[in-house]
């Protein structure tokens, strides 16, 4: 049983927190998994990440940004995700739908360009399940800026940008293999909702326990 599970949502929605709580549930059950993230997750991809997430004087053109994301994704898939999927569950903080919401919904780049890149570069590899943590973008930005002082290039975009991204994530509810969770609940409650969903749908074939943190 190997599964590719992606966590999505706006900055500060609580994705990393939920990924880490779920990883602890899997560990309690003795399941083997890899925790990783995008942009990043492999040596070269982490270097590309720095260009993407650090605030700098000069702007990055939308196509440049999209190609950097796909350069990082290719490295990450080839060197980490695909080899791990042969025997492990892969929990990935952000993937395809982040690119759709952050790069496509906020620019003039056509969705067909993203679809073309995704097909040519990843052979259309998609997660078995995408968990979206939903919070209002103002809450997310506040939480995010408190946490990270260096990686703020996206956080400093304007409200219209964040509104487009958060609406994009909400609209993913219509897609099969995507499940949205209310991220305004406490960390433990969101975790419980995720574990209940995975168990009810038998996503991991085994029933996994909760891992609460106090
Ligand atoms: P993301 O990975 O989506 O940017 P994080 O999991 O890093 O979000 O959480 C951002 C900040 O918000 C962290 O300080 C974290 O402790 C806090 N946080 C996460 N989930 C919740 C929650 N459900 N309620 C309140 N604060 C939260
Ligand atoms: P992340 O580390 O998840 O940030 P946070 O913890 O604040 O949620 O992601 C860093 C930034 O990368 C985030 O602001 C969104 C951006 N990003 C894109 O714009 N497109 C993408 O395809 C991905 C994977 C990330």
């Amino acid at each position: 049983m190997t599964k590719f599970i992606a966590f999505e949502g706006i900055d500060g929605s609580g994705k990393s927190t939920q990924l880490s709580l779920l990883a602890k549930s899997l560990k309690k059950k003795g399941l083997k998994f890899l925790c990783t993230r995008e942009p990043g997750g492999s040596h070269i991809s982490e270097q590309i990440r720095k260009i993407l997430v650090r605030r700098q004087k000069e702007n990055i053109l939308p196509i440049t940004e999209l190609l950097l994301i796909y350069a990082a994704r290719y490295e990450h898939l080839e060197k980490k995700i695909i080899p791990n999927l042969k025997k492990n569950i892969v929990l990935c903080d952000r993937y395809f739908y982040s690119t759709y919401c952050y790069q496509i919904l906020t620019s003039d780049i056509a969705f067909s360009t993203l679809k073309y890149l995704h097909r040519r570069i990843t052979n259309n590899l998609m997660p078995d399940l995408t968990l979206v943590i939903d919070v209002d973008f103002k809450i997310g930005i506040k939480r995010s800026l408190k946490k990270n002082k260096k990686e703020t290039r996206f956080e400093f975009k304007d409200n219209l940008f964040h509104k487009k991204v958060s609406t994009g994530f909400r609209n993913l509810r219509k897609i099969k293999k995507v499940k949205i969770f209310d991220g305004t609940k406490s960390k433990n409650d969101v975790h419980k909702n995720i574990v209940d969903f995975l168990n009810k749908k038998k996503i991991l074939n085994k029933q996994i326990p909760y891992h609460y943190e106090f």
Side-chain angles (χ1 to χ4, degrees):
M1 176 224 11
T2 59
K3 290 275 168 181
F4 180 15
I5 300 180
F7 286 74
E8 296 278 13
I10 59 163
D11 303 84
S13 54
K15 291 173 280 87
S16 319
T17 303
Q18 292 307 323
L19 189 152
S20 146
L21 290 174
L22 182 60
K24 286 168 185 154
S25 296
L26 300 184
K27 198 169 175 198
K28 274 187 183 167
K29 190 74 187 173
L31 294 169
K32 287 198 167 164
F33 59 88
L34 169 80
C35 292
T36 189
R37 68 171 181 182
E38 289 209 342
S42 72
H43 181 66
I44 303 292
S45 312
E46 286 292 328
Q47 293 180 59
I48 298 172
R49 176 188 175 94
K50 288 185 188 140
I51 303 173
L52 287 162
V53 301
R54 291 198 174 164
R55 264 182 111 196
Q56 44 205 310
K57 285 195 194 103
E58 195 175 318
N59 71 326
I60 304 178
L61 295 171
I63 289 283
T64 313
E65 190 171 284
L66 181 62
L67 294 175
L68 284 172
I69 286 166
Y70 267 85
R73 183 161 293 152
Y74 183 65
E75 284 283 321
H76 186 211
L77 275 176
E78 291 293 319
K79 294 180 179 169
K80 280 283 180 68
I81 295 186
I82 293 172
N84 267 281
L85 278 174
K86 294 199 172 98
K87 47 187 180 345
N88 297 329
I89 295 166
V90 173
L91 303 180
C92 188
D93 197 334
R94 297 193 182 281
Y95 188 64
F96 175 84
Y97 291 119
S98 279
T99 318
Y100 170 67
C101 292
Y102 282 88
Q103 276 67 48
I104 302 305
L105 296 182
T106 65
S107 77
D108 292 334
I109 303 172
F111 182 42
S112 55
T113 307
L114 172 63
K115 283 202 290 192
Y116 175 81
L117 272 177
H118 200 69
R119 190 175 70 246
R120 293 304 299 260
I121 292 173
T122 77
N123 203 15
N124 271 341
L125 185 77
M126 287 298 278
D128 297 296
L129 179 68
T130 296
L131 308 174
V132 178
I133 316 296
D134 179 41
V135 296
D136 185 86
F137 73 89
K138 287 185 181 151
I139 299 177
I141 299 300
K142 213 191 237 172
R143 284 185 190 168
S144 193
L145 289 174
K146 235 194 248 173
K147 179 184 93 170
N148 201 327
K149 304 282 177 240
K150 258 190 186 167
E151 298 191 336
T152 55
R153 193 170 77 84
F154 286 96
E155 280 81 348
F156 277 97
K157 302 247 185 199
D158 63 19
N159 278 356
L160 180 62
F161 177 93
H162 292 295
K163 187 98 195 106
K164 284 180 183 165
V165 174
S166 63
T167 305
F169 279 123
R170 279 187 185 155
N171 286 338
L172 297 178
R173 72 179 69 248
K174 299 162 194 159
I175 295 176
K176 215 176 126 197
K177 297 193 183 176
V178 174
K179 177 73 183 169
I180 311 244
F181 294 88
D182 179 358
T184 60
K185 295 183 178 173
S186 72
K187 294 178 191 180
N188 284 341
D189 281 350
V190 181
H191 172 68
K192 180 180 182 304
N193 290 347
I194 290 175
V195 170
D196 286 348
F197 173 78
L198 296 176
N199 284 339
K200 193 171 152 219
K201 297 281 177 191
K202 300 189 169 65
I203 302 282
L204 299 167
N205 301 342
K206 289 182 180 171
Q207 298 288 297
I208 54 165
Y210 304 124
H211 177 87
Y212 291 133
E213 275 181 0
F214 296 97

